[in-house]
Amino acid sequence: MTETPPATAGSATEAAADERQLALSTRAARNLATTTKSVPQMQGITPRWLLQRLPWVRADAGTYRVNRRLTYQLGDGLVTFVNDGAAIRVIPPELAELPPLRGFGDTALLDGLAGRFVQHEYAPGDTIAEAGRPTDAVHLIAHGKVEVIGPGEYDAHARVDILDGGRFFGDRALLGADDDAWPHTYRALTPTTVLQLSREAIDELTGRYDSLRAHLEEYRSAPVPPQTRHGEAAIDLASGHDGEPALPGTFVDYEASPREYEMSVTQTLLRVHTRVADIYNGPMNQLEQQLRLTIEEVRERQEHELINNRDFGLLHNADLRQRIQTHGGPPTPADMDELLARRRKTRFFLAHPKTIAAFGRECTRVGLYPADVEVDGHRARAWRGVPIYPCDKIPISPSGTSSVLALRTGEDDQGVIGLQRTGIPNEVRPGLSVRFTGIDDKAIMSYLVSAYYSAAVLVPDALGVLENVEIAR
């Protein structure tokens, strides 16, 4: 066993000398140094692809009117419901969305009609109505998904459509025709709640109330105006004829009350103390940095409004016939193909980053690896050559579902356009102004930051939405 010799006084002195500071520390040196700084950073800045790729049209009058060819309203809206716990009721005025009841204004009778609907629950795979059987009830889908199945060409069933909450079918049962039969089979894809109005209840109400019977009789006997497959007023033409037949006379009718889009505004009042602007203004301009970050936040809010605003936002302005449902939940290549096929010249898709990731998983699952495309020097995910841009402003529901938007853009292609008012006083960016509003008695300067914008869908098929996309599976 080896013993350690005791420490001597000389060795202790040498150790203390080694611990002494031999040069100026970096902490002290910083008092005489100039610190290199970054400009203020902001985590909330996103690519804002929608603002970049949307063609912007100047709206000088502050209002943009979309003139369209006359389109006949066929009552293809959504029906709204309310619930008391598990009991669901239809809002009576919403029954006017059914084509036979469009324009019927007897609210008391609509209340009685709404009270006759009976709630039914269906499990996935259950048949709600079968093709060929008599149309014996009006069905309102309160919750869930219903697939519409028709006969295929080769003795196989073909999926015609997918209906979700708010849609309806069997409205012709209100007309009381005995020879009407279901043209398709309706089957629940998910747990589904349906409100049904039976033929017996319809016959009882029409027999009791003359006003309802007269309204339905007028609807039944009214001539159907000639129209195109898009619902527009038809233009009479002659083609393939020979000789000198009498040619049809025609004209193009317009909507009597076209929609007008008014400019929306995002504003804030930026305050900067004069002492800060005067003394603490180097090496960076404090006012300039405050304005830069404020403008970035204004632009983020602008994109959010263009997506979610209930008046002009794209999610709320998509035509009902351009809203489609996923086949099974997650966004599959088949779903994206159907969305793409609904319009010509689709310029780009817009989806939440988590939705894009879910679509990538579905492609990988079936062995597909879509090629990327180059956009302004950047690589972007694409499907069928159409870029898919990420946009975190598209909401995700608490249940983990989102939406995918498909846009055709530009005035020349009758697409989606952005609206802005340029040339305004104190404009620093197109459609955005910074106006000095004064200094108060506390020596605080104020600047009004304003952005004016909106969006318009020129024709309905310019914008499509793939709804209820599951991203959490």
Side-chain angles (χ1 to χ4, degrees):
M1 180 175 181
T2 304
E3 296 183 358
T4 302
T8 62
S11 61
T13 304
E14 292 175 359
D18 291 340
E19 294 177 356
R20 287 200 306 267
Q21 183 175 329
L22 302 179
L24 182 66
S25 69
T26 56
R27 179 178 297 180
R30 287 181 58 188
N31 293 329
L32 300 182
T34 299
T35 304
T36 302
K37 311 174 185 66
S38 73
V39 297
Q41 305 298 306
M42 178 177 171
Q43 186 175 349
I45 298 178
T46 64
R48 299 194 292 267
W49 282 106
L50 180 60
L51 299 188
Q52 293 184 42
R53 311 310 299 179
L54 206 59
W56 292 92
V57 175
R58 176 171 172 169
D60 290 328
T63 302
Y64 187 90
R65 177 182 296 165
V66 178
N67 290 309
R68 289 178 179 172
R69 187 172 160 186
L70 177 63
T71 302
Y72 294 105
Q73 278 286 358
L74 300 178
D76 56 353
L78 295 177
V79 179
T80 307
F81 304 87
V82 294
N83 67 294
D84 299 321
I88 300 177
R89 295 178 290 108
V90 61
I91 298 177
E94 291 291 308
L95 292 176
E97 292 294 337
L98 276 64
L101 295 178
R102 178 165 291 275
F104 186 68
D106 191 336
T107 56
L109 189 48
L110 288 177
D111 289 343
L113 199 61
R116 299 301 181 94
F117 280 86
V118 179
Q119 180 173 334
H120 293 269
E121 307 289 339
Y122 294 93
D126 288 350
T127 299
I128 303 173
E130 188 174 351
R133 292 185 176 273
T135 306
D136 56 353
V138 179
H139 296 75
L140 310 180
I141 305 173
H143 176 72
K145 285 184 180 181
V146 175
E147 64 174 343
V148 184
I149 302 172
E153 186 68 23
Y154 301 100
D155 297 329
H157 295 302
R159 177 177 286 174
V160 177
D161 200 358
I162 298 178
L163 308 178
D164 64 331
R167 304 299 180 97
F168 52 84
F169 58 93
D171 51 275
R172 289 192 58 83
L174 290 166
L175 303 180
D178 295 330
D179 56 347
D180 272 353
W182 293 111
H184 304 105
T185 296
Y186 298 83
R187 184 177 299 159
L189 278 176
T190 63
T192 304
T193 303
V194 176
L195 300 186
Q196 296 180 2
L197 180 66
S198 66
R199 174 68 67 83
E200 291 75 14
I202 296 171
D203 293 341
E204 178 190 349
L205 290 170
T206 53
R208 182 184 303 178
Y209 298 101
D210 295 337
S211 59
L212 177 60
R213 184 172 61 255
H215 178 84
L216 294 176
E217 185 63 35
E218 181 182 357
Y219 176 84
R220 188 186 298 110
S221 60
V224 178
Q227 53 191 269
T228 67
R229 60 188 178 90
H230 301 292
E232 297 175 329
I235 298 176
D236 293 330
L237 301 173
S239 59
H241 51 274
D242 192 11
E244 299 178 354
L247 299 179
T250 190
F251 67 97
V252 181
D253 207 353
Y254 303 135
E255 287 186 352
S257 301
R259 178 168 180 180
E260 294 183 348
Y261 293 86
E262 295 185 359
M263 302 297 290
S264 180
V265 62
T266 294
Q267 291 180 308
T268 189
L269 203 61
L270 175 64
R271 297 187 178 93
V272 180
H273 203 288
T274 54
R275 182 171 62 250
V276 172
D278 293 342
I279 301 177
Y280 303 97
N281 210 28
M284 298 178 190
N285 187 306
Q286 293 279 4
L287 177 59
E288 179 181 319
Q289 296 302 321
Q290 288 281 305
L291 283 174
R292 181 179 66 85
L293 295 181
T294 301
I295 290 173
E296 292 287 353
E297 190 61 36
V298 168
R299 289 305 197 197
E300 292 290 330
R301 176 63 65 85
Q302 178 179 349
E303 186 176 61
H304 178 275
E305 292 294 309
L306 289 174
I307 294 290
N308 297 287
N309 189 282
R310 298 194 66 85
D311 184 34
F312 59 86
L314 300 183
L315 281 178
H316 297 281
N317 279 269
D319 188 83
L320 294 173
R321 289 166 293 184
Q322 297 298 325
R323 298 175 184 267
I324 63 175
Q325 305 298 314
T326 58
H327 288 74
T332 64
D335 294 325
M336 297 294 283
D337 278 341
E338 185 173 357
L339 183 61
L340 188 65
R342 291 294 184 102
R343 69 203 41 77
R344 56 184 171 84
K345 292 186 178 180
T346 300
R347 298 298 185 189
F348 58 87
F349 296 104
L350 209 62
H352 193 281
K354 291 185 177 180
T355 306
I356 298 176
F359 176 62
R361 291 194 298 269
E362 291 300 309
C363 288
T364 303
R365 188 174 63 84
V366 297
L368 293 176
Y369 303 94
D372 294 343
V373 295
E374 185 171 341
V375 180
D376 298 336
H378 301 279
R379 304 294 297 179
R381 181 70 59 87
W383 178 248
R384 307 293 189 190
V386 179
I388 308 173
Y389 296 134
C391 178
D392 64 352
K393 314 303 187 304
I394 299 177
I396 297 177
S397 71
S399 60
T401 60
S402 187
S403 302
V404 179
L405 283 74
L407 292 85
R408 180 178 71 246
T409 58
E411 279 189 306
D412 293 340
D413 287 329
Q414 297 180 320
V416 181
I417 59 172
L419 304 175
Q420 63 183 4
R421 177 65 172 89
T422 57
I424 56 180
N426 306 108
E427 187 176 52
V428 295
R429 295 185 186 179
L432 190 147
S433 69
V434 177
R435 185 174 300 176
F436 177 67
T437 58
I439 304 175
D440 64 11
D441 55 0
K442 295 182 180 180
I444 296 179
M445 300 184 298
S446 298
Y447 292 84
L448 178 64
V449 183
S450 305
Y452 300 95
Y453 56 88
S454 187
V457 182
L458 299 186
V459 295
D461 71 345
L463 172 64
V465 181
L466 179 64
E467 296 183 317
N468 297 319
V469 178
E470 272 191 309
I471 62 175
R473 186 182 299 184

